[in-house]
Amino acid sequence: LSTKERLDLFIKVCQAIQHAHQKGIIHRDIKPSNILVTLHDGVPVPKVIDFGIAKATEGRLTDNTVYTQLHQFIGTPVYMSPEQAEMSGLDIDTRSDIYSLGVLLYELLAGSTPFDAKELMASGIDAMRKTIREKEPQRPSTRLATLGADQLTTTAKRRSADTSKLLYQLKGDLDWIVMKCLEKDRQRRYETANGLAADITRHLTNEPVLARPPSQFYRLQKLARRNKAATVATSGILAALAIGIGLAMGSLVAERNAKQRELKQSVRADTAANFVDGLITDVVPVMIQQGNVSGARRLMDTADRLAATSFSNAPSAEINLRIKLSKFANLLSDSPTLVKQNQIIQRLLPRVTDDQLSLSREELKVEALAARRFDGEPMDRLNAELNDLYAELMGMSPPAKTAAMRCRFYQGYVHLSFKQWDKAEKAFAVAYDLRPRNLDSDRLSYEVAANYADALALGENLVQAAEIARENLKLPPSTDFEARLGYLKVTAALANVLCMQGHFEEATQMLDKQKRLLGDRGGYEAELAQLEALRGEVQARSGNPRGALAILEPLAANRLSRRYNWESALLMASVLDDREAMQRLRRIGVLRFASTAEGVTAFGLGINLVGGVWVSWDRVDDETLSLARSLFARVTEASDWSTREAPALAFSIARAERQFTKAVEILDGYLGKRRFTGFETESIYPAHLKVGFLFRRAELCAELGRVDEARQDFARASELFAQARKTRHGRDRGVVWQADTENAEWKGDYGAENAQKESAAVFKTKGIALPPEPAVK
């Protein structure tokens, strides 16, 4: 049935429930299996059945009822209202059925319930009740937009619509109606089932619905749809009147008509732009959290094309949409898109007024300058220009402090990349002092704090670094998605400092506390998964790979965890030589990422499937090799940093194919082109990367019988490894860079150790003597 036909049936269900309510009966178990549809004279009619756990509004249904006893769990959880799940003795009234009707309507429209039934049942009764009482479900249109392509197509087909049409049908009125039914506070739901049915009828007849906050434009839009004939007739009269006036007024009317046409086009463009902006805001963060990077990119590309072709008369809407696209491009490490969006934003700025911008002109100027770091801009020149711009911004009256904060933040980022700890610390200190007071909606302010703490820690100011991080971890932001990402980076920064101090138990306790706080504030599952990843990281850094694997392997199977969380789990399994765990994890990686992997994700998946620099792998079947080659092709076509690292994946594939001569040739070409000097050796992480490659080269030369080369490579790698390990802080296996769990030194430490061990094993098999241990001062 189409969406309209489903709504017509649902209205009749509401009328049946209203009838029961008028008779003093609350159903308490409304669900699809309790609603049958029969035909009366060819017309489908729903029948509500099974009042087996119904409750009378006054008195008892029977003298022997067992369904009103306190603390008895009654009903079907996925359709159950929060107050019904509470089991606190709170009187259940007719609004509990309104909630269940909302769940039913959600399922009719989107093809699934707000909460997954299997996940609810698997979580246990306490967690299930907590989810129903506290967790806010996604809007039906958002849930629909995040489905996989096949599932979305099937859902739309069952509703006699294509995917874009179905999304459009749900976005707006129906979203508002469903979410009003699903309010946790029953006082905010519809008072009666008839009220719900009436609002759906208003939607079907293009009248304003009560669930939606009414704007004048919304009312006008509904009026036009409701009175198409009158609208056409009125347009005809106005046209005739315009012609008459034109005869008298001539060019004056023509000019006014042209302005009116331009205004109408602008209104249409604004409406379309606002719709696309809302869709991007609601859907892209969810897709990123779920790891659907390719889907998020496609949606952003579509929005970009629409902005370029359809929003020419709505520059303010277009520029704010492009600001959001720029932010998400930064989250996805999509450098070309980030540069492109900032360039277009600068071209649009002269066409909009200050009050139409979501960021100030000064802030946008800083962002455009900072984006050039991805466009081949020399870092020293970029730093000098940022310094000049900072002086200009602080010289304004009044000073443009927020924009100046962004200037110092990006300068600190540049200094941090070059391991210039003192300069980075000073830049971040200024940015930290310039932050706005309202942190609840500002991701950058949290990132300033996180990077400031990192710079202090890397400069050995560990006590002050911990103080800065703790100052910003009092309470997680309650609403803003981006601000919470920044907050998590501060959490990672504090965990990093505590590990550097050797306080691993305190770091674990801090993360447990943050997990509770974030859960109480309605934290997304993906955010909670990130905290779990940090707990695993603390175990790994403390030198406990088995404890780390116990946390990271279940996390790797979580659909909301990140690709590099999976890589961390696989590395721990490799370090422990746990082949069964490695097999399980490789299967998980293929199932979770292979279909949508591109760029960085394709690179990480491919190199770990065939056994890369750090992860071991003896035998690779033909199917896995075929997948790895496909992933390599995707990497070469990518628009992120993975393209320049493609030879590392090609080397790993050749090694897995046991084409050792080819592998050595690829590796030599890669190491010759890749700069392991200057900036890159300033980071321990790339130093470990080179160590791993050298150990692998020694291993391959041993396989080929090139004994002298093998021993030279092994000796050089051992020397570099020993030097890198001198920077360790006590028991800590290695720091995390720039509050980012992907740039983790401890992975390099474990990985290089793994490569050394496996290279030494090949030497032993081939009867080659290991070179003496390096003497590092």
Side-chain angles (χ1 to χ4, degrees), residues 581-763:
M582 292 173 69
Q583 287 276 25
R584 290 194 301 269
L585 284 162
R586 282 192 165 91
R587 284 195 295 269
I588 289 170
V590 171
L591 290 172
R592 284 204 55 208
F593 304 114
S595 62
T596 58
E598 59 181 45
V600 174
T601 302
F603 176 80
L605 178 61
I607 204 167
N608 283 287
L609 284 178
V610 296
V613 186
W614 294 339
V615 175
S616 60
W617 192 239
D618 293 333
R619 292 174 299 279
V620 181
D621 58 44
D622 292 340
E623 186 178 347
T624 303
L625 279 171
S626 178
L627 176 57
R629 295 184 192 105
S630 173
L631 292 167
F632 174 76
R634 296 185 213 175
V635 169
T636 59
E637 298 169 356
S639 58
D640 54 34
W641 58 259
S642 65
T643 305
R644 73 171 185 265
E645 302 300 324
L649 177 53
F651 153 76
S652 300
I653 293 172
R655 174 172 168 261
E657 293 170 333
R658 303 190 68 80
Q659 297 184 40
F660 299 139
T661 301
K662 178 181 177 182
V664 171
E665 290 174 356
I666 295 173
L667 182 56
D668 287 346
Y670 172 67
L671 293 177
K673 290 180 181 178
R674 200 185 199 285
R675 294 183 303 108
F676 281 98
T677 57
F679 153 57
E680 295 190 295
T681 51
E682 291 297 302
S683 163
I684 304 300
Y685 186 68
H688 279 130
L689 188 61
K690 184 173 184 180
V691 167
F693 277 123
L694 284 176
F695 278 129
R696 292 304 181 195
R697 191 181 190 282
E699 172 190 313
L700 295 179
C701 287
E703 292 278 9
L704 293 168
R706 291 153 59 171
V707 176
D708 290 342
E709 282 185 74
R711 297 185 80 248
Q712 288 172 8
D713 287 338
F714 195 98
R716 178 58 178 154
S718 299
E719 181 184 359
L720 289 174
F721 194 20
Q723 290 174 351
R725 283 186 153 186
K726 284 175 59 182
T727 62
R728 275 190 185 177
H729 289 78
R731 288 172 49 212
D732 188 12
R733 293 294 294 254
V735 303
V736 174
W737 256 66
Q738 297 173 192
D740 188 339
T741 55
E742 186 166 17
N743 294 322
E745 222 178 77
W746 63 266
K747 290 185 183 179
D749 191 65
Y750 275 113
E753 185 179 88
N754 213 35
Q756 182 182 37
K757 177 181 66 177
E758 293 180 0
S759 182
V762 174
F763 272 51

Side-chain angles (χ1 to χ4, degrees), residues 239-275:
L241 182 61
I243 293 172
I245 296 174
L247 294 173
M249 305 294 292
S251 61
L252 177 61
V253 174
E255 182 181 347
R256 288 182 178 177
N257 285 341
K259 289 183 178 180
Q260 286 179 346
R261 284 195 299 272
E262 184 178 344
L263 178 60
K264 288 178 182 178
Q265 291 172 349
S266 178
V267 169
R268 285 197 295 269
D270 269 320
T271 303
N274 288 334
F275 172 76

Side-chain angles (χ1 to χ4, degrees), residues 145-388:
T146 57
L147 295 178
D150 292 342
Q151 191 177 356
L152 179 57
T153 301
T154 301
T155 302
K157 186 176 180 181
R158 288 175 178 166
R159 286 153 182 79
S160 299
D162 57 38
T163 56
S164 59
K165 182 180 179 182
L166 184 59
L167 280 169
Y168 177 76
Q169 288 173 344
L170 269 58
K171 188 80 174 178
D173 285 357
L174 293 178
D175 271 344
W176 285 100
I177 289 171
V178 171
M179 299 311 288
K180 184 175 178 67
C181 294
L182 300 181
E183 286 283 359
K184 303 296 184 188
D185 182 355
R186 58 183 175 175
Q187 294 183 4
R188 299 184 65 178
R189 297 177 205 149
Y190 290 99
E191 289 292 327
T192 64
N194 270 354
L196 169 57
D199 228 9
I200 294 174
T201 302
R202 292 187 192 95
H203 165 72
L204 292 173
T205 56
N206 289 311
E207 296 179 10
V209 300
L210 301 183
R212 182 169 185 160
S215 66
Q216 291 301 319
F217 178 73
Y218 172 67
R219 291 180 181 276
L220 180 63
Q221 193 177 43
K222 289 292 183 181
L223 178 65
R225 290 179 182 172
R226 194 165 62 249
N227 301 287
K228 292 181 180 178
T231 302
V232 172
T234 302
S235 300
I237 294 170
L238 290 175
L241 182 61
I243 293 172
I245 296 174
L247 294 173
M249 305 294 292
S251 61
L252 177 61
V253 174
E255 182 181 347
R256 288 182 178 177
N257 285 341
K259 289 183 178 180
Q260 286 179 346
R261 284 195 299 272
E262 184 178 344
L263 178 60
K264 288 178 182 178
Q265 291 172 349
S266 178
V267 169
R268 285 197 295 269
D270 269 320
T271 303
N274 288 334
F275 172 76
V276 174
D277 183 282
L279 185 64
I280 288 290
T281 302
D282 290 343
V283 177
V284 169
V286 177
M287 293 178 113
I288 293 174
Q289 287 176 328
Q290 293 179 346
N292 188 1
V293 173
S294 60
R297 288 185 193 277
R298 285 196 298 271
L299 187 55
M300 290 168 59
D301 288 344
T302 301
D304 177 72
R305 288 194 297 273
L306 283 171
T309 57
S310 305
F311 300 165
S312 57
N313 291 310
S316 61
E318 180 182 355
I319 199 170
N320 288 319
L321 173 60
R322 292 194 179 279
I323 289 171
K324 286 187 178 177
L325 291 175
S326 174
K327 288 181 179 180
F328 291 137
N330 194 26
L331 284 177
L332 292 168
S333 301
D334 188 348
S335 306
T337 298
L338 178 63
V339 172
K340 172 188 172 182
Q341 295 303 331
N342 276 281
Q343 289 173 343
I344 296 174
I345 288 168
Q346 293 303 308
R347 291 202 300 267
L348 289 171
L349 274 176
R351 298 178 58 193
V352 296
T353 59
D354 290 346
D355 61 328
Q356 293 176 313
L357 294 169
S358 58
L359 289 178
S360 70
R361 292 178 191 275
E362 292 77 20
E363 288 175 280
L364 292 172
K365 187 175 182 180
V366 176
E367 290 298 314
L369 178 56
R372 283 164 46 192
R373 69 188 187 275
F374 300 113
D375 199 24
E377 182 82 7
M379 287 296 186
D380 53 350
R381 185 191 305 168
L382 175 63
N383 192 47
E385 291 189 44
L386 284 168
N387 208 46
D388 292 342

Side-chain angles (χ1 to χ4, degrees), residues 401 405 430-437 439 442 444-446 448-449 471-472:
K401 291 185 178 181
M405 175 196 73
V430 174
Y432 190 77
D433 290 339
L434 290 171
R435 296 182 313 159
R437 294 183 180 275
L439 296 183
D442 188 354
L444 186 61
S445 293
Y446 281 118
V448 167
E471 282 177 10
N472 294 274

Side-chain angles (χ1 to χ4, degrees), residues 108-122:
L108 280 172
L109 297 173
S112 63
T113 52
F115 304 118
D116 184 82
K118 291 182 180 178
E119 290 182 5
L120 274 182
M121 297 303 292

